[in-house]
Amino acid sequence: MRNRETAGWDAIVVGAGPAGITAARTLLEAGWRVCLLDAGERPAEPPPRAALAAFRQHLGNWRWFLGERLESLKAPEQDSPKLRTPAAQRILQGYEQALRVQGEGFRVVGCMAPGGLTNVWGAGVACFQETELREWPLRLEDLREGYETVARRIGVSGSATDDLADFFGTFLPLQPPLPLDPPAESLYRGYMRRRGRVRAAGLTLGRGRNAVLTQPLGEREACTRCGFCLYGCGFRAIYNAADELEELRRHPALSYVPGQWAEQLDTGPEGPRLTTIRLGTGERRVWTAKAILLACGTLATTRLVLGALGWVDRPVRLLSQPAIGFALWVPGGLSGPCPERFFALSQLSFTAASPAEGEATLAAGNLFLGFAVPLWELASRLPVPPLLGYRLLRDLLPSLLLGNAFLSGELSEHSVTLGSDGVLRVRGCYRSELYPRLRQVVHILGTGFRRAGAWLLPGSLRLATPGADIHYAGTLPHSAQPELGQSDSFGAVVGLPGVYAVDASVLPALPPKAHTFTVMANAHRIAAALAKREQRD
Amino acid sequence: MASGQKDGYLVVTGASGYIGRHVLDEARLRGWGVLALSRRPPHRGDVVHLPYDLNAPLPEWPALEIMGIIHLAYDASEKAVRPEREVAAAEELVTRARELRVPFVFVSSQNAGLPTRYGRVKEAIENVVLREGGAVVRVGLVYGGYRAGSGLFWRLDEWVRRWPVVPFFLPSPRVVPIHVSDVARWLCHAVDSAEARGKRVFLHAGAECSLNGFLWYLCRHRRRGWCLPVPVPLCGARPLARLFASVSPRYSWLAQRIEGLIGLRPALRVDGEVVQVPGRTLADGLHPTGSARRRQWLQQGWRLFRGLLGHHVPSLLVRHYARACEAAESGRNGPLSEREREILAIALLEYSPWGAFSSSTDGRLWVAVLRGFRLLFVGLEAAVVLLFQGLKGFFRRFGR
């Protein structure tokens, strides 16, 4: 039997990830009564408040790092090391079964825990530039307030004056950057010395912009460089929407209902209706409000909308960024110490652009310390036997930087189809243009880093499985003249009055940069516009 | 005295012997009552004991509901009971089984039918049992479990533990080792089902090896060391064993066993229907706990950490490796692959005080020089490995 929930909320926000939390906060600040539904119940367990270097010297702690049943070692090898930690495994498991999604040549990753994918994100912050909003029915000016509000709320650290200031956005309020660790510092020094020659090769280097605090903000503490970043943050210095949810729950106008899996969406004479299933018990509930904001992640949102529109066996475009990983040897860091404290997220960021194509950014990425990733993880990925790999890495690691780079989402040709059997099928495929583009990017990186004093290690470059980047977007794109299956510039889904998509599903394009920050800014913009419009009406 | 049993009582002769004790355990595990017929009281207090000697007539049994008889009693000394009396005792038992209309299972041997006293007696009893519709179960070299009696396995075990040399028989007889618990389980199964009635079956646990191979396993898993193999031609062993037996009666068992071994052919010949028993590996069976995995993990761990550390291996680290292997293999079908084991060892070393980054080094020049040289050598080694891998792949493709 269904329970009908009509407790007089103004809006129902589905999903307590970064977009959902942002939208809910904006609506609450506008005086709305909001019901926040979330599939997850238990937040991810934070790591200890200690230094990684000291903590890992206690022999029994391997269970914490590898899992009681060695889940880390058993996890799929194509996944990023961040997703293979026991803590990540605990919060990521069960998503595919719950969503009934099948990846065909596509790695599906999703999280049902409060905070969504900010539990495992790289905390990279970047604003889209005006040129990157060409396919959007709006201008940078429309997103700017969202960018600034979100940046103030989550706390962003980085340098405002380096060569990547334009790429990341010059208007962000920034906290001071974290100090660089030896190999990154050595590379950055080399870059600054030979800046002209490196930039002529198409490579631009700068400090990373991270949603990591270097100064306390509210109840969150500043980064202590404990090195645990891969496993979360015990000091809450890395932004996690789950931490903000804790703060938001104190708001009297918010009803937070965990454990509700959004199963079905439809519209009736009284407005939009959402049916949820209580995970574990199977209890069904129906929720109604004048506005339902979908923020449960691109795939889950797409499933709900396709089901509501009755779009069965009809493929929908899905964007994701082709990603590569590589290792960089910085000879200048060879005498570097094995640090007691270090920062394990992005130390430096870079862009690769081709001067011949009018400085269009072909790829952008981040550089991390070699120490950021467990040594066994690196040894298992080398093309030589692991024991030999260990001996090699033992001396190489102090001078090693690991990099990832994302290319434009337009190079992907993925599709999502809701089958008549109720299974959501995601087919992964890259466009053929990717491979010449990739060769160009590798050439730029190889030449540029060599000029800056670092060497791209041969054989280390790997193209990730489609979907492994977890930057899914574009299934219900904003459009100036939206058609069925699209959304207008305020996220309203055509054909479903009162339903708004506020997560990455509405991004019309995916430039080669981290998109979470833009998704949050856009969610703020949509929620603010909705509140303003209601006030006016 | 045991209380009444729902399923009835199993009669076991030779209940205080090696196989008998394990049959008692298995029967009690299944919740059956046991009427144990033996000269000595059995090791369990929860069974009904009736003194029984092969030389004496079969005693009257208490009024119990009997569900089957397993006949294991045999005069191991081969002196106390005449062969005719052993056959007659078996006849009495099989007749009693017929009267009670319960299954009768006789445990024979791989050696039955050989021209030795032992082989002749076993064959004669087999014929009596088969005539009366009972089941004859032949077993190979029974090993493992806990010690009882003086069977061949325990004699060999005692030998390899005590002496640094081990005979290397030429030619080596073939044996079919089977764990005593597997034998006990199947005997109880034979009583419970009609599978073997009126048949002669041979229990095969999957492992079949030469006696020399079995002795090598014994050295490795019971002595935990090496024994010097001394070639012993079987034809010359017979007079030698007889000489030993004439010097001291203590060695009479040796003469009998050698006779039995000579009778076994280098290629195993199995009479009757072969029944595959879900068995265990020899390494597992020879371990007192029934599983040698932990010992294997410890040995693997020691080897791996030796390769990684290149010096004294902390035993605590090796023990953690064994625990981690146990955790990794629980819930999965097969053991860890070699590559997975190596990665696990690296991971454990990383999360230990002996890991590569446990001691922080400062940024002096000599550190860079030392690291550079080491990198050069290890890098060259890696290049050679990669070259070989590439060549291997090329020739494999070329071969296709």
mmCIF file of all heavy atoms in Angstrom, chain A residues 320 322 362 407-413 429-434 437:
data_model
loop_
_atom_site.group_PDB
_atom_site.id
_atom_site.type_symbol
_atom_site.label_atom_id
_atom_site.label_comp_id
_atom_site.label_asym_id
_atom_site.label_seq_id
_atom_site.Cartn_x
_atom_site.Cartn_y
_atom_site.Cartn_z
ATOM 1 N N SER A 320 30.814 12.075 -21.524
ATOM 2 C CA SER A 320 31.794 11.897 -20.437
ATOM 3 C C SER A 320 33.158 12.200 -21.033
ATOM 4 O O SER A 320 33.325 12.154 -22.252
ATOM 5 C CB SER A 320 31.731 10.487 -19.855
ATOM 6 O OG SER A 320 32.614 9.629 -20.494
ATOM 7 N N PRO A 322 36.910 11.605 -22.032
ATOM 8 C CA PRO A 322 37.975 10.608 -22.141
ATOM 9 C C PRO A 322 39.114 11.019 -21.204
ATOM 10 O O PRO A 322 39.481 12.197 -21.162
ATOM 11 C CB PRO A 322 38.412 10.685 -23.601
ATOM 12 C CG PRO A 322 37.277 11.349 -24.314
ATOM 13 C CD PRO A 322 36.644 12.271 -23.316
ATOM 14 N N LEU A 362 43.035 21.494 -25.464
ATOM 15 C CA LEU A 362 42.740 20.130 -25.907
ATOM 16 C C LEU A 362 42.525 19.206 -24.712
ATOM 17 O O LEU A 362 41.716 18.287 -24.755
ATOM 18 C CB LEU A 362 43.897 19.586 -26.743
ATOM 19 C CG LEU A 362 44.254 20.385 -27.994
ATOM 20 C CD1 LEU A 362 45.486 19.789 -28.654
ATOM 21 C CD2 LEU A 362 43.091 20.363 -28.964
ATOM 22 N N LEU A 407 39.974 14.998 -21.589
ATOM 23 C CA LEU A 407 39.749 15.622 -22.892
ATOM 24 C C LEU A 407 38.278 16.030 -22.992
ATOM 25 O O LEU A 407 37.476 15.680 -22.123
ATOM 26 C CB LEU A 407 40.120 14.658 -24.014
ATOM 27 C CG LEU A 407 41.636 14.532 -24.269
ATOM 28 C CD1 LEU A 407 42.270 13.570 -23.307
ATOM 29 C CD2 LEU A 407 41.908 14.102 -25.696
ATOM 30 N N SER A 408 37.970 16.716 -24.052
ATOM 31 C CA SER A 408 36.610 17.242 -24.184
ATOM 32 C C SER A 408 35.576 16.116 -24.286
ATOM 33 O O SER A 408 35.815 15.087 -24.920
ATOM 34 C CB SER A 408 36.555 18.117 -25.429
ATOM 35 O OG SER A 408 35.224 18.432 -25.700
ATOM 36 N N GLY A 409 34.423 16.351 -23.684
ATOM 37 C CA GLY A 409 33.334 15.375 -23.715
ATOM 38 C C GLY A 409 32.779 15.145 -25.110
ATOM 39 O O GLY A 409 32.145 14.128 -25.364
ATOM 40 N N GLU A 410 33.059 16.080 -26.046
ATOM 41 C CA GLU A 410 32.531 15.915 -27.408
ATOM 42 C C GLU A 410 33.196 14.743 -28.130
ATOM 43 O O GLU A 410 32.728 14.301 -29.180
ATOM 44 C CB GLU A 410 32.728 17.208 -28.207
ATOM 45 C CG GLU A 410 34.177 17.477 -28.548
ATOM 46 C CD GLU A 410 34.408 18.782 -29.290
ATOM 47 O OE1 GLU A 410 33.548 19.676 -29.194
ATOM 48 O OE2 GLU A 410 35.454 18.899 -29.935
ATOM 49 N N LEU A 411 34.299 14.241 -27.557
ATOM 50 C CA LEU A 411 34.986 13.106 -28.170
ATOM 51 C C LEU A 411 34.363 11.767 -27.757
ATOM 52 O O LEU A 411 34.820 10.711 -28.171
ATOM 53 C CB LEU A 411 36.471 13.121 -27.785
ATOM 54 C CG LEU A 411 37.242 14.336 -28.305
ATOM 55 C CD1 LEU A 411 38.590 14.455 -27.629
ATOM 56 C CD2 LEU A 411 37.415 14.226 -29.812
ATOM 57 N N SER A 412 33.352 11.846 -26.904
ATOM 58 C CA SER A 412 32.680 10.603 -26.494
ATOM 59 C C SER A 412 31.396 10.450 -27.290
ATOM 60 O O SER A 412 30.799 11.440 -27.735
ATOM 61 C CB SER A 412 32.380 10.642 -24.995
ATOM 62 O OG SER A 412 31.493 11.691 -24.709
ATOM 63 N N GLU A 413 31.009 9.200 -27.463
ATOM 64 C CA GLU A 413 29.790 8.935 -28.231
ATOM 65 C C GLU A 413 28.960 7.893 -27.474
ATOM 66 O O GLU A 413 28.523 6.905 -28.043
ATOM 67 C CB GLU A 413 30.171 8.419 -29.618
ATOM 68 C CG GLU A 413 29.140 8.717 -30.667
ATOM 69 C CD GLU A 413 29.681 8.457 -32.084
ATOM 70 O OE1 GLU A 413 30.670 7.735 -32.224
ATOM 71 O OE2 GLU A 413 29.112 9.007 -33.032
ATOM 72 N N CYS A 429 31.472 4.420 -25.962
ATOM 73 C CA CYS A 429 32.201 4.436 -27.235
ATOM 74 C C CYS A 429 32.885 5.798 -27.391
ATOM 75 O O CYS A 429 32.295 6.821 -27.070
ATOM 76 C CB CYS A 429 31.207 4.201 -28.372
ATOM 77 S SG CYS A 429 31.958 4.170 -29.984
ATOM 78 N N TYR A 430 34.118 5.791 -27.848
ATOM 79 C CA TYR A 430 34.792 7.052 -28.147
ATOM 80 C C TYR A 430 34.702 7.324 -29.640
ATOM 81 O O TYR A 430 34.671 6.391 -30.449
ATOM 82 C CB TYR A 430 36.268 6.970 -27.742
ATOM 83 C CG TYR A 430 36.516 6.958 -26.245
ATOM 84 C CD1 TYR A 430 37.430 6.073 -25.680
ATOM 85 C CD2 TYR A 430 35.848 7.834 -25.401
ATOM 86 C CE1 TYR A 430 37.672 6.065 -24.315
ATOM 87 C CE2 TYR A 430 36.084 7.832 -24.041
ATOM 88 C CZ TYR A 430 37.000 6.943 -23.497
ATOM 89 O OH TYR A 430 37.231 6.940 -22.164
ATOM 90 N N ARG A 431 34.707 8.594 -29.998
ATOM 91 C CA ARG A 431 34.713 8.953 -31.420
ATOM 92 C C ARG A 431 36.106 8.702 -31.981
ATOM 93 O O ARG A 431 37.099 8.744 -31.243
ATOM 94 C CB ARG A 431 34.352 10.439 -31.584
ATOM 95 C CG ARG A 431 32.965 10.765 -31.109
ATOM 96 C CD ARG A 431 32.770 12.260 -31.128
ATOM 97 N NE ARG A 431 32.386 12.695 -32.451
ATOM 98 C CZ ARG A 431 31.125 12.895 -32.820
ATOM 99 N NH1 ARG A 431 30.158 12.737 -31.954
ATOM 100 N NH2 ARG A 431 30.832 13.281 -34.031
ATOM 101 N N SER A 432 36.150 8.478 -33.292
ATOM 102 C CA SER A 432 37.453 8.149 -33.903
ATOM 103 C C SER A 432 38.411 9.345 -33.828
ATOM 104 O O SER A 432 39.628 9.169 -33.870
ATOM 105 C CB SER A 432 37.267 7.702 -35.348
ATOM 106 O OG SER A 432 36.572 8.700 -36.056
ATOM 107 N N GLU A 433 37.845 10.569 -33.698
ATOM 108 C CA GLU A 433 38.713 11.755 -33.611
ATOM 109 C C GLU A 433 39.539 11.758 -32.340
ATOM 110 O O GLU A 433 40.507 12.506 -32.220
ATOM 111 C CB GLU A 433 37.884 13.059 -33.628
ATOM 112 C CG GLU A 433 37.165 13.346 -34.912
ATOM 113 C CD GLU A 433 35.734 12.841 -34.879
ATOM 114 O OE1 GLU A 433 35.544 11.647 -34.530
ATOM 115 O OE2 GLU A 433 34.802 13.593 -35.182
ATOM 116 N N LEU A 434 39.156 10.936 -31.373
ATOM 117 C CA LEU A 434 39.873 10.950 -30.093
ATOM 118 C C LEU A 434 41.346 10.585 -30.269
ATOM 119 O O LEU A 434 42.214 11.207 -29.674
ATOM 120 C CB LEU A 434 39.205 9.982 -29.115
ATOM 121 C CG LEU A 434 39.995 9.724 -27.827
ATOM 122 C CD1 LEU A 434 40.009 10.958 -26.933
ATOM 123 C CD2 LEU A 434 39.421 8.549 -27.034
ATOM 124 N N ARG A 437 43.688 13.164 -31.602
ATOM 125 C CA ARG A 437 43.721 14.218 -30.578
ATOM 126 C C ARG A 437 44.605 13.780 -29.396
ATOM 127 O O ARG A 437 45.384 14.558 -28.851
ATOM 128 C CB ARG A 437 42.287 14.490 -30.104
ATOM 129 C CG ARG A 437 42.110 15.618 -29.133
ATOM 130 C CD ARG A 437 42.129 16.982 -29.794
ATOM 131 N NE ARG A 437 41.023 17.209 -30.718
ATOM 132 C CZ ARG A 437 39.837 17.701 -30.377
ATOM 133 N NH1 ARG A 437 39.614 18.060 -29.141
ATOM 134 N NH2 ARG A 437 38.889 17.887 -31.269
#
